[in-house]
Amino acid sequence: MNLQELTGLYDFSGKTVVITGGAGILGGEMACALVGCRANVAILDRDQAMAERLVQRIPTGVGRYIIVYGDVLDRDMLADARDRIVAEFGRVDALVNAAGGNAPAATTGAEMTFFDIPPEALRFVVDLNLVGTILPSQVFGRAMAEQKSGVIVNLSSMNALRPLTRIPAYSAAKAAVSNFTQWLAVHMAQEYSPAIRVNALAPGFFLTEQNRFLLTEREGGGLTARGRSILAHTPMGRFGTPEDLLGTLLWLLSPASAFVTGTVIPVDGGFAAYSGV
Ligand SMILES: NC(=O)c1ccc[n+]([C@@H]2O[C@H](COP(=O)([O-])OP(=O)(O)OC[C@H]3O[C@@H](n4cnc5c(N)ncnc54)[C@H](OP(=O)(O)O)[C@@H]3O)[C@@H](O)[C@H]2O)c1
């Protein structure tokens, strides 16, 4: 393979990528990068305000984008979104399942013991992360099965490898996302086409809205004991930035990873590798 072919692997001209949670902190960065790599990007989110703010950052004169309102827990709404995206861009080549997150009500602490976490808070977190990954995979994966090609990238987490304290539902849900990633990779390759690949990113710690309350003090913004502990257990000694995910994401979406499926790749500054000693 020559150099031109190699660099061309990251030119997504004519490829349509759907990003659920695409207006969020990590999904938004991915959307900007993919438009910059000439993809047609469908930003699927339920947060209109975030989506409107994101639009101001999206590069112009390269790929195209549309914003599609959608709830990853509503399959009919997802099917409508798919029809709109196909009408706009002709097909769907890739899906990034980036909608997800934890909820304060499902987090143990001084005011909430494990025994008291309300069932609805547990269900909210498991539904959003697990069911909210499976339903878009059904809706957009069907189109991939019909065209016999496609790529799905899920967002798992460090919690999936070893659970973190305080967030039982989120840890369990992300472990299930990793498991589902492997399951779907095998299913798609065996039942539909080996050219449909399914992988996941397992980000370490990125300071975003869903974990700010755990990692930084409300007053003053300094690190909490948990935030300090995370940095002490991250050999690279810092939180991730959304840009840190882009290289691995583009690689997983591109033909450069054509023989890679069923993997969950940590992007964590070495957190998973470090025993603490
Ligand atoms: N940040 C981290 O350190 C970290 C680490 C590991 C894994 N992750 C995972 O990475 C993914 C992205 O995280 P992030 O930090 O970018 O989170 P974020 O900024 O909260 O973005 C998530 C986006 O998804 C949207 N969303 C929530 N529920 C939805 C639903 N039912 N349907 C459609 N959209 C919905 C959110 O909208 P609303 O604002 O309306 O909720 C938000 O715009 C998540 O799966 C997260 O669990 C994050």
Side-chain angles (χ1 to χ4, degrees):
M1 189 178 274
N2 66 35
L3 193 57
Q4 205 175 6
E5 276 175 320
L6 265 180
T7 51
L9 294 173
Y10 294 94
D11 180 345
F12 290 86
S13 296
K15 301 283 182 197
T16 302
V17 183
V18 179
I19 309 178
T20 73
I25 307 257
L26 301 184
E29 193 65 32
M30 294 172 178
C32 290
L34 281 159
V35 172
C37 291
R38 303 181 188 283
N40 297 324
V41 178
I43 297 164
L44 193 155
D45 207 291
R46 61 168 193 187
D47 193 328
Q48 289 289 88
M50 291 267 278
E52 276 153 29
R53 277 201 298 278
L54 174 63
V55 165
Q56 295 157 19
R57 291 204 287 128
I58 296 184
T60 50
V62 266
R64 295 162 58 205
Y65 70 89
I66 53 169
I67 292 173
V68 188
Y69 182 82
D71 184 335
V72 292
L73 297 176
D74 183 332
R75 198 159 64 176
D76 291 341
M77 201 185 261
L78 287 168
D80 288 347
R82 179 200 54 211
D83 293 347
R84 217 193 120 197
I85 294 162
V86 170
E88 182 75 24
F89 293 136
R91 56 186 270 138
V92 171
D93 299 284
L95 167 68
V96 180
N97 281 308
N102 185 40
T107 305
T108 66
E111 283 116 50
M112 177 70 75
T113 74
F114 164 66
F115 311 107
D116 296 319
I117 297 176
E120 54 278 16
L122 296 172
R123 279 196 204 99
F124 171 82
V125 172
V126 174
D127 276 359
L128 173 57
N129 291 283
L130 177 58
V131 182
T133 296
I134 295 177
L135 294 186
S137 300
Q138 289 180 311
V139 170
F140 294 101
R142 188 191 291 273
M144 294 175 190
E146 282 161 9
Q147 73 204 18
K148 302 224 171 289
S149 68
V151 184
I152 296 176
V153 176
N154 296 326
L155 268 288
S156 182
S157 166
M158 272 302 102
N159 302 295
L161 303 177
R162 270 181 307 165
L164 301 179
T165 58
R166 299 193 57 192
I167 47 178
Y170 185 63
S171 295
K174 288 301 191 186
V177 168
S178 291
N179 184 285
F180 172 66
T181 299
Q182 295 175 313
W183 183 88
L184 190 62
V186 173
H187 184 73
M188 287 300 213
Q190 290 188 333
E191 301 292 328
Y192 297 103
S193 165
I196 302 173
R197 301 184 297 107
V198 186
N199 292 286
L201 298 173
F205 299 89
F206 294 68
L207 197 53
T208 59
E209 292 323 308
Q210 61 172 272
N211 58 22
R212 198 173 296 279
F213 74 102
L214 281 169
L215 304 184
T216 59
E217 303 284 2
R218 206 161 289 167
E219 307 281 311
L223 287 180
T224 58
R226 186 184 183 87
R228 288 195 300 277
S229 174
I230 286 167
L231 289 191
H233 286 82
T234 301
M236 290 189 177
R238 64 172 176 88
F239 294 121
T241 64
E243 295 86 345
D244 287 322
L245 292 173
L246 297 178
T248 315
L249 174 79
L250 295 178
W251 174 66
L252 285 176
L253 290 175
S254 78
S257 61
F259 198 48
V260 178
T261 197
T263 68
V264 180
I265 302 183
V267 182
D268 67 346
F271 183 91
Y274 183 39
S275 70
V277 178

